[in-house]
Amino acid sequence: MSVALKLDNVTKTFTQNGKTIAAVDDLSLDIQPGEFFTFVGASGCGKTTTLRMIAGLETVSSGKILFDDQDVTNVTTQKRGIGMVFQDIALFPFMSIRDNIGYPLKVAGMPKSQIAQKVEAAADLLSITDKLSMRPTQLSGGQQQRVAIGRAIVKEPKILLLDEPLSALDARLRTEMRTEILRLHRRINATIVYVTHDQVEAMTMSSRVAIMEAGRAAQVDTPRQVFRAPRYESVATFIGTPAMNVWDMQVTGKAGQPVLQGGGMTVALTREDAAALDGFRWVRMGVRPAALKIVPQDEADFSAVLHLREPLGFEDECHLETADGTDIKLVGRVPDTLVEGASLHIAVDRADYCIFHPDTGKALRHGLAPLTAA
Amino acid sequence: MANTNQAREGAWISAAIAPSLILLLIVAYLPILYALSLAFYDKSAFRPDMEWVGLANAEWLLAQKDFWAAMGRSVVFTLGTVGFQLAFGLFFGLLLNQAIAGRSVMRSLVILPYLLPTIVIGLVFRWILNPEFGVVNQLLLSSGLIDRPINFFGGIDAAMPSIIITTGWQYGSFAVLLILARLQSINPRLYEAARSCGAGTWRCFVDVTLPNLRTTLLLIALLRGIWMFNKFDLIWIITQGGPLQATETLPIYIYEIAFRDFDFGRAAAGCVAIFIILLLFSFIYFKFFNPTKEVEVNR
């Protein structure tokens, strides 16, 4: 099967104040037919620029973009046959909803009766059939975004591009539309390329994600894999709410039996990890808030004071301060009897923590490997 | 309590705006009313008294062949200049909205004609278009496009088009400014959305630019329509209605009744005629185009 979308060493540079800045830096990746592929990252990481290059709205400084093995690098937007949904929705204000959705078909010169049929079908799919004769301004934000999606899919494009489509909506609607878009993806036969700064959207919707940092993809993987096996400290702390706790740890101990020491705890290393850490004096250790457990004193790695607890309903998010003054977070089912100010004994889940290179942030070890306490 | 408070507040507001209202009444509305009332009197510039004649002035005016001819010329002049300004505004508005070299300089330059005094424009164009010394005729002759110089303002057929172009040139920059401002307020995402739907440059223009400009173009047409129908100064400076009445629009015609024949009553009747025409024009405009939408920015 051919690759639906291929980025081949794609670079986009801008010149600002005489300096050349690479918004997207030598990015290469393949997206398979039918995938829900998400570019996620903080603002300025190059994710939107990448999407706009795929759409043809931005030129490519160097490299190639291929749809179905066809080079489209120099093909104009209108000839790429894509569907696109924009962050600010961008419906045509002077047209009815019907005309908005039908616009791509009208431009393509389809007969009116056929357009009407397809518009009805798209509206039905998005449950906006009763809004067809209205104007965009008469609709709520969520309904407008549905119309924008309808306009993007009515031509049944092979590639559907969505640029932060939910960020203009309020929280509740966002969750609703997330499900809606997923359902749509199952029903239409299109490859979806999605851009968001919201890691929850990226994690919940995508078949694969690219974590973008400074114009490069720090990691391209399934959401599960990105969460469990982050390749960089930056990826690990970006994905997951609340963010991963990270400590500076000293590599000490006897030769042949090294331990990590820091944050008031001592963690023994397995033979494999010891080999990976050979030659390091300092490393960074990352533990997800949910991989910290409240335990009896004799099982604890370190103790900390409970500063604040935020009930999430089923679980609580606890803000803790360790003996050396580090703020950390713990998520779990905490006994109701624990009040703020209490002293807690905490253990690190040996099956789920990461070790990162102290300078490059590259993961030297990540979760799901056995480890024993010192 | 609330009522007394409201009443007191109302009194304050009235007191505060009274001075400007009175001033407006004295300097604007009273003269207008006086001028309108003159239409019903026989009033010569040489007699202190005036005599009530009712609709006699209007009857006389409507019976004049010259009046109807001037009316026709006014319509031609108004349509011509407004059309010219819209075309001029659209062309340069679209041009200056592009990322072209020297755009900011061009944007400043385009307003220049609007800043020149009318008398300067009148005299300059009389020189430029002069059949013997004018640069336009020189260029046309030397390039071989014409054999004999064109008498732009002096020829019966050429005078009206020449006046229209001169006036349109002076006020075109106003249209450029309004259109440019509106163009810059169009969400660029709309063009990107249109392109992602498969629209090329022409479709983008028809489906995004024009609908967004529609109200602006109508506004220019209304405002400029009124101004151009009343236009007097530039025509008077350049041709004084000549040659042989070729450029004698309604304002020129009325001016001549007032200050050549010194018949203020009949001239006032002519003013009333213009007033009624413009009132009708505005009424149709407001009736069929929603004026609140003029200033609304749709995104």
Side-chain angles (χ1 to χ4, degrees):
Chain A
M1 212 180 208
S2 63
V3 177
L5 170 59
K6 186 182 182 68
L7 302 185
D8 192 6
N9 301 102
V10 170
T11 298
K12 176 72 185 180
T13 53
F14 291 103
T15 308
Q16 202 171 47
N17 303 330
K19 272 191 292 185
T20 306
I21 300 162
V24 174
D25 193 2
D26 199 22
L27 184 64
S28 293
L29 47 86
D30 292 354
I31 298 173
Q32 305 304 326
E35 257 198 296
F36 194 121
F37 191 93
T38 302
F39 289 95
V40 63
S43 50
C45 69
K47 56 185 190 300
T48 295
T49 309
T50 305
L51 191 78
R52 290 173 60 81
M53 282 192 288
I54 295 171
L57 296 170
E58 257 353 305
T59 56
V60 175
S61 304
S62 71
K64 272 193 269 184
I65 295 174
L66 297 94
F67 289 180
D68 277 332
D69 300 334
Q70 297 237 311
D71 190 346
V72 295
T73 315
N74 296 316
V75 176
T76 56
T77 302
Q78 61 263 34
K79 294 200 175 123
R80 288 199 188 188
I82 47 150
M84 186 158 180
V85 178
F86 295 86
Q87 181 176 2
D88 49 5
I89 301 172
L91 294 177
F92 304 120
F94 302 100
M95 294 182 196
S96 68
I97 300 307
R98 179 175 281 109
D99 291 347
N100 261 287
I101 297 178
Y103 186 70
L105 304 177
K106 182 183 148 198
V107 171
M110 188 180 277
K112 275 189 178 155
S113 58
Q114 222 173 324
I115 293 180
Q117 219 171 31
K118 296 218 170 209
V119 169
E120 287 288 337
D124 190 43
L125 194 64
L126 296 158
S127 355
I128 42 172
T129 316
D130 55 330
K131 308 281 188 293
L132 282 179
S133 31
M134 294 187 180
R135 289 286 172 120
T137 45
Q138 292 171 281
L139 266 52
S140 70
Q143 291 165 341
Q144 288 187 19
Q145 197 53 285
R146 278 164 205 261
V147 176
I149 293 171
R151 182 178 64 183
I153 62 168
V154 74
K155 215 168 58 177
E156 294 163 24
K158 279 189 182 163
I159 296 180
L160 182 59
L161 308 174
L162 297 118
D163 183 13
E164 308 220 18
L166 306 185
S167 59
L169 309 179
D170 61 53
R172 193 197 183 94
L173 211 53
R174 212 153 43 217
T175 321
E176 242 176 73
M177 285 299 289
R178 225 160 63 196
T179 322
E180 195 92 1
I181 291 176
L182 274 184
R183 195 172 296 147
L184 190 76
H185 177 238
R186 307 291 187 264
R187 287 183 65 173
I188 62 173
N189 184 27
T191 308
I192 292 187
V193 183
Y194 193 96
V195 161
T196 181
H197 65 269
D198 183 349
Q199 47 116 348
V200 178
E201 280 175 26
M203 294 294 284
T204 52
M205 303 172 79
S206 329
S207 34
R208 281 196 305 152
V209 298
I211 318 279
M212 298 292 288
E213 274 168 23
R216 290 168 171 275
Q219 186 163 359
V220 181
D221 244 323
T222 63
R224 222 176 276 280
Q225 198 64 11
V226 166
F227 186 81
R228 290 194 186 179
R231 281 178 55 193
Y232 291 95
E233 182 185 330
S234 53
V235 173
T237 48
F238 181 75
I239 297 291
T241 318
M244 181 184 265
N245 301 298
V246 184
W247 288 271
D248 282 316
M249 302 292 272
Q250 200 176 359
V251 186
T252 59
K254 288 175 282 188
Q257 217 181 9
V259 293
L260 298 180
Q261 216 160 28
M265 59 182 142
T266 304
V267 179
L269 293 169
T270 60
R271 198 183 300 269
E272 289 149 20
D273 288 340
L277 296 191
D278 193 29
F280 285 97
R281 292 192 53 226
W282 288 91
V283 290
R284 306 262 295 159
M285 182 172 91
V287 184
R288 297 231 176 256
L292 291 174
K293 296 271 180 296
I294 301 171
V295 293
Q297 190 167 8
D298 56 332
E299 293 170 29
D301 289 313
F302 61 96
S303 51
V305 177
L306 176 61
H307 260 306
L308 197 70
R309 51 190 291 181
E310 297 172 11
L312 301 173
F314 184 63
E315 299 178 314
D316 279 19
E317 181 178 330
C318 301
H319 298 247
L320 309 173
E321 192 184 326
T322 61
D324 60 351
T326 319
D327 287 318
I328 59 169
K329 280 178 184 166
L330 177 153
V331 170
R333 299 177 74 172
V334 181
D336 290 344
T337 48
L338 280 184
V339 292
E340 288 167 7
S343 185
L344 304 178
H345 303 291
I346 310 290
V348 173
D349 184 348
R350 293 293 185 259
D352 192 7
Y353 74 93
C354 305
I355 294 173
F356 304 109
H357 192 290
D359 304 319
T360 62
K362 199 166 168 35
L364 302 168
R365 173 221 194 269
H366 37 65
L368 311 174
L371 222 89
T372 47
Chain B
M1 274 303 283
N3 271 341
T4 20
N5 269 344
Q6 262 174 17
R8 197 174 302 154
E9 201 178 328
W12 261 110
I13 292 172
S14 308
I17 61 172
S20 36
L21 258 186
I22 292 167
L23 197 68
L24 193 68
L25 202 70
I26 293 171
V27 302
Y29 292 113
L30 285 183
I32 290 177
L33 284 177
Y34 177 69
L36 291 183
S37 71
L38 272 185
F40 303 98
Y41 288 92
D42 179 9
K43 173 82 178 102
S44 162
F46 303 121
R47 283 183 288 120
D49 61 320
M50 46 206 256
E51 185 189 339
W52 174 265
V53 293
L55 292 175
N57 285 335
E59 274 169 39
W60 175 85
L61 194 70
L62 295 179
Q64 300 304 304
K65 253 169 51 191
D66 281 354
F67 170 77
W68 293 107
M71 173 91 80
R73 281 181 221 110
S74 268
V75 170
V76 168
F77 177 77
T78 303
L79 290 179
T81 49
V82 170
F84 185 91
Q85 287 171 52
L86 286 176
F88 186 90
L90 207 54
F91 180 78
F92 283 101
L94 289 169
L95 188 71
L96 295 179
N97 197 39
Q98 305 298 314
I100 50 167
R103 178 169 71 165
S104 50
V105 178
M106 294 256 299
R107 279 185 185 173
S108 318
L109 285 180
V110 82
I111 188 65
L112 216 61
Y114 200 61
L115 302 177
L116 288 175
T118 305
I119 180 76
V120 173
I121 291 177
L123 295 177
V124 164
F125 268 80
R126 266 165 64 174
W127 267 107
I128 292 177
L129 298 180
N130 187 292
E132 286 151 54
F133 325 106
V135 66
V136 172
N137 270 313
Q138 280 299 322
L139 287 173
L140 288 176
L141 280 172
S142 59
S143 67
L145 285 171
I146 54 171
D147 306 326
R148 282 177 299 163
I150 299 172
N151 196 351
F152 285 104
F153 291 126
I156 294 211
D157 295 327
M160 183 57 99
S162 304
I163 279 279
I164 285 175
I165 289 169
T166 308
T167 315
W169 179 83
Q170 181 183 11
Y171 293 102
S173 47
F174 176 80
V176 175
L177 278 189
L178 284 189
I179 287 170
L180 192 58
R182 186 72 189 91
L183 283 175
Q184 284 172 340
S185 75
I186 299 177
N187 181 357
R189 214 67 69 218
L190 287 179
Y191 290 104
E192 295 182 349
R195 284 168 64 196
S196 78
C197 290
T201 311
W202 174 248
R203 282 234 75 109
C204 280
F205 177 72
V206 172
D207 295 326
V208 180
T209 311
L210 271 191
N212 271 290
L213 282 182
R214 184 176 162 271
T215 52
T216 306
L217 296 179
L218 287 173
L219 187 72
I220 294 171
L222 172 78
L223 287 179
R224 284 297 140 181
I226 292 175
W227 284 26
M228 291 305 124
F229 205 82
N230 284 332
K231 196 83 210 131
F232 173 78
D233 50 9
L234 195 60
I235 304 173
W236 188 255
I237 288 166
I238 297 179
T239 62
Q240 275 138 7
L244 285 177
Q245 300 182 319
T247 56
E248 188 184 273
T249 56
L250 265 188
I252 304 278
Y253 176 67
I254 291 166
Y255 178 87
E256 284 180 338
I257 297 175
F259 298 104
R260 191 192 60 205
D261 308 343
F262 296 105
D263 193 330
F264 287 177
R266 286 173 175 173
C271 293
V272 171
I274 291 186
F275 187 66
I276 291 171
I277 291 165
L278 291 182
L279 214 58
L280 222 62
F281 181 60
S282 307
F283 178 77
I284 293 168
Y285 180 84
F286 284 107
K287 179 94 180 158
F288 292 103
F289 309 112
N290 191 351
T292 55
K293 289 239 164 133
E294 309 297 357
V295 284
E296 189 180 280
V297 174
N298 265 308
R299 278 183 175 263

